Amino acid sequence: MQKFILTSRGVLRFGDVCYHKDLLEPGDHCIGGGYWEVEPSGMSLRLHGLSTDFGSPKWSMVRTESLKVPDRFRGLALLWEDAYEGSVNLPAEWKIEYV
């Protein structure tokens, strides 16, 4: 399944894995995760749900001023779909660094 994790350094890591923990790299401190998909229109990357390993992303625990997003997603709208708050436009809340 297409899953993502968020680290305390602001890294958003994406993959097609069985478990969210499979996305961890040495030294990572994961602060949540969920599922991702590129919308059928191809214009936005939608993040949603929660990790069974780490829970939902704890955005307030990111210790940097920016989110690090893989360069392959450059040009897409980045949206966090929250069950309570609705859709959040991540670039409106965070500086985005493409890596």
Side-chain angles (χ1 to χ4, degrees), residues 40-53:
S41 68
M43 300 304 292
S44 63
L45 173 64
R46 189 171 75 92
L47 310 178
H48 58 93
L50 59 93
S51 162
T52 53
D53 297 318

Side-chain angles (χ1 to χ4, degrees), residues 4 33-35 47-51 55-57 80-81:
F4 79 92
Y35 300 89
L47 310 178
H48 58 93
L50 59 93
S51 162
S56 62
W80 164 244
E81 301 279 331

Side-chain angles (χ1 to χ4, degrees), residues 59-60 62-67 89-96:
W59 303 100
S60 64
V62 173
R63 293 181 288 173
T64 64
E65 294 181 5
S66 62
L67 297 177
N89 179 12
L90 291 176
E93 304 290 323
W94 296 90
K95 177 182 173 192
I96 304 297

Side-chain angles (χ1 to χ4, degrees), residues 17 24 42 50 66 78 86:
V17 296
L24 288 173
L50 59 93
S66 62
L78 301 174

Side-chain angles (χ1 to χ4, degrees), residues 18-55:
C18 289
Y19 302 102
H20 286 90
K21 64 184 178 183
D22 294 336
L23 295 170
L24 288 173
E25 292 184 0
D28 278 346
H29 178 229
C30 185
I31 55 173
Y35 300 89
W36 66 276
E37 64 182 309
V38 174
E39 288 293 321
S41 68
M43 300 304 292
S44 63
L45 173 64
R46 189 171 75 92
L47 310 178
H48 58 93
L50 59 93
S51 162
T52 53
D53 297 318
F54 304 109

